Every structure is written in C-alpha cells, then in structure tokens.
Amino acid sequence: MSRKPVHLAVYDTFADWETGHTTAWLARVGYEIRTVGPSTAPVTSTGGLRVQPGLPLPALRPEDSSLLILPGADLWDTSDDLAPFARAARAFLDAGVPVGAICGATSGIAREGLLDDRAHTSAAPMYLAASGYQGGARYVEADAVTDGDLITAGPTEPVAFAREIFGRLGDVFEGEKLDAWYRLFHDSDPAAYETLNA
C-alpha cells in the first residue's frame, strides 16, 4: 500500500520520548517518517539527541503528508520560536490532514486558537488556561483525546497518544489488535501479546 509520509516536527528541546511509540510502529507498518525542522540545520532534543531535519518547515505541504506530529518542547513555553509550527498545524487541519500534539505543543496550538472549538486534553487545565485560549469548556480529563483530525495528549501519555493516532489513521492496528497493543505497552498485560501477534 502506498502511503504519504508522516511528518515529525523536530526543534531544539523537543521531548524525544513522547513520540517514539508512534513513529516506531508507523514505520513498522510502512509509513516513511520524515523530520521537519525550522530549517535543515541540526536541532538537539531534551535528551541530547542531535537530529538533522530532512525538510525545512516552509517546504512542508499538507497535501504531501498523512499526519503532522508536534512533540512537546521547552520552547513552546519560553518563546514564540515554535509559533510557525502551530500555524502549520492550522494549515493541516484546514486541509483535512490529521495533527497530533502532545505536551507543550498543546499550549502552542491553543495559542493558535486550534483548541477553542475542539475537545482536547493536555498536562492540566490550568496549563492551557495560561495560554489565554478560549477552549477551557472543551477540556477533557483523559490520557489522550481525538476530535476529528486533531489528537492531543498530556506529557505522561505517549502510549495513549500513539493509540489515538493509530486509530485515526485506521491502517495500523484495528479493533482488538489496537486494544491489545495498548494493553501490552500501557498496562504490561502479557495476555495482549498473543492477541497482537495472532
């Protein structure tokens, strides 16, 4: 099956642990994972990984992508440097292409107005309230939330984030296999392994 690539945003201080389950399993089922940075200059993650972006953000087009993933980063809360990535998320959603935002990226897209009219979650309601957004009534106390093409999650839920992305894309795991994948990696349920590999 031919699929468009999945684009993983990378920028200085990005939280490298938040998207590992997502990108690893998407790659395993045949998605090309392409990194997109502010430019093609190397960036350094919170964990000290040096990453060379494959694509500069100005060259990213929704029509060339299956999904845009925005990981958390200290920069979401300390500067406006990542605002262009929130604007890219708006372009993706306007084009009907899914966006996944986790941790600090939820605050960035909140400032862009993307959570005002969509169900969402994050680290905590007060964290997003500090962004000045208007979507507090749509906040959901859940590990991860999907509303149409937008998936959000808090910083402690990379497995739930991946599950929601797999469910939204629809061609990674389905039905009981998706449930089994989540139970195996989130709950350490050994019984789920047999279902997942059946």
Side-chain angles (χ1 to χ4, degrees), residues 96-177:
V97 180
V99 173
I102 184 168
C103 188
T106 60
S107 180
I109 65 171
R111 286 190 294 278
E112 181 64 20
L114 300 180
L115 302 183
D116 289 350
D117 300 312
R118 293 177 174 92
H120 60 275
T121 194
S122 182
M126 64 282 289
Y127 172 66
L128 287 186
S131 74
Y133 86 132
Q134 303 300 308
R138 304 298 307 273
Y139 189 92
V140 180
E141 289 285 358
D143 294 344
V145 172
T146 299
D147 187 333
D149 290 322
L150 182 64
I151 300 107
T152 53
T156 61
E157 297 300 336
V159 178
F161 184 58
R163 177 195 60 199
E164 294 300 305
I165 287 173
F166 301 159
R168 173 60 188 83
L169 292 177
D171 60 357
V172 182
F173 299 113
E174 295 180 1
E176 67 177 9
K177 283 192 181 289

Side-chain angles (χ1 to χ4, degrees), residues 8-152:
L8 171 66
V10 293
Y11 22 71
D12 283 329
T13 74
F14 80 92
D16 36 27
W17 65 90
E18 292 177 343
T19 60
H21 285 284
T22 302
T23 55
W25 287 91
L26 290 178
R28 287 183 74 157
V29 300
Y31 280 96
E32 176 191 1
I33 308 300
R34 297 199 65 198
T35 51
V36 55
S39 69
T40 56
V43 298
T44 304
S45 75
T46 298
L49 299 180
R50 191 167 168 82
V51 177
Q52 177 89 45
L55 186 72
L57 183 60
L60 178 65
R61 303 185 321 160
E63 59 265 34
D64 298 332
S65 186
S66 292
L67 168 74
L68 174 63
I69 304 172
L70 300 176
D74 295 343
L75 288 178
W76 283 113
D77 297 320
T78 59
S79 75
D80 292 327
D81 291 358
L82 302 184
F85 286 92
R87 290 193 290 274
R90 177 180 291 283
F92 268 62
L93 293 171
D94 287 348
V97 180
V99 173
I102 184 168
C103 188
T106 60
S107 180
I109 65 171
R111 286 190 294 278
E112 181 64 20
L114 300 180
L115 302 183
D116 289 350
D117 300 312
R118 293 177 174 92
H120 60 275
T121 194
S122 182
M126 64 282 289
Y127 172 66
L128 287 186
S131 74
Y133 86 132
Q134 303 300 308
R138 304 298 307 273
Y139 189 92
V140 180
E141 289 285 358
D143 294 344
V145 172
T146 299
D147 187 333
D149 290 322
L150 182 64
I151 300 107
T152 53

